[in-house]
Amino acid sequence: MPRIVEGNLVDKGGRYAIVASRFNEFIVEKLVAGAVDTLLRHGAEDANLDLVRVPGAFELGLVCKRLAESGDYDAVIALGCVIRGGTAHFEYVAGEAAKAVAAAAYATGVPVIFGVLTTESIEQAIERAGSKMGNKGAEAALSALEMVDLLRKLE
Ligand code: INI
């Protein structure tokens, strides 16, 4: 039987930054609410949560990197929404957002969680922002909790 190392979904004094884009705000605000609710219900303290807003998904990576390298956070959660139907340059915005968020994590060693919806339509975005397909912000918060605990165990 291998020794299993895994993160639990229980906060132990972690500090979290949520970075949320203003573009498609009415969807992204649902993701923010889902992330905050999930963090708090897993034990995170309100005082240990910061919310930073950026213009669009394209800007998420830079700000996530800045926050991750500050040393002030155990995890950074990037939240946004890119909808193909309304975006001629969907691939560029969504692709660069994903790359930059990943790069921020690799550069800093801090978990930077990709909670960005990339959907074909506004209906699909609504479904993933607190209706029948769950809430991507809440999922992202769970990933943050798990990664913070896992990295502590791997120290
Ligand atoms: N930003 C998004 O977050 N989602 C989108 O769907 C979107 N569209 O449709 O273009 C979008 N564009 C703005 C982009 O993220 C930047 O803020 C902008 O290009 C300035 O750099």
Side-chain angles (χ1 to χ4, degrees), residues 24-81:
N24 291 324
E25 185 192 9
F26 80 103
I27 297 285
V28 179
E29 286 313 299
K30 299 288 185 193
L31 306 183
V32 172
V36 170
D37 176 64
T38 298
L39 289 170
L40 294 177
R41 286 196 293 122
H42 285 78
E45 286 176 34
D46 213 21
N48 287 340
L49 310 185
D50 286 339
L51 172 62
V52 179
R53 295 190 197 279
V54 297
F58 196 82
E59 283 74 38
L60 286 168
L62 173 65
V63 173
C64 286
K65 180 167 181 283
R66 182 70 60 89
L67 295 168
E69 68 196 4
S70 71
D72 291 341
Y73 301 101
D74 296 292
V76 178
I77 301 170
L79 300 179
C81 174

Side-chain angles (χ1 to χ4, degrees), residues 23-24 27 57 80-95 116-126 128:
F23 208 102
N24 291 324
I27 297 285
C81 174
V82 192
I83 300 172
R84 186 190 295 272
T87 315
H89 53 311
F90 173 91
E91 268 82 15
Y92 298 108
V93 174
V116 179
L117 288 172
T118 56
T119 65
E120 295 295 323
S121 65
I122 198 153
E123 288 77 13
Q124 285 183 352
I126 291 168
R128 290 159 178 76

Side-chain angles (χ1 to χ4, degrees), residues 101-113:
V101 165
Y106 303 146
T108 62
V110 173
V112 183
I113 307 299

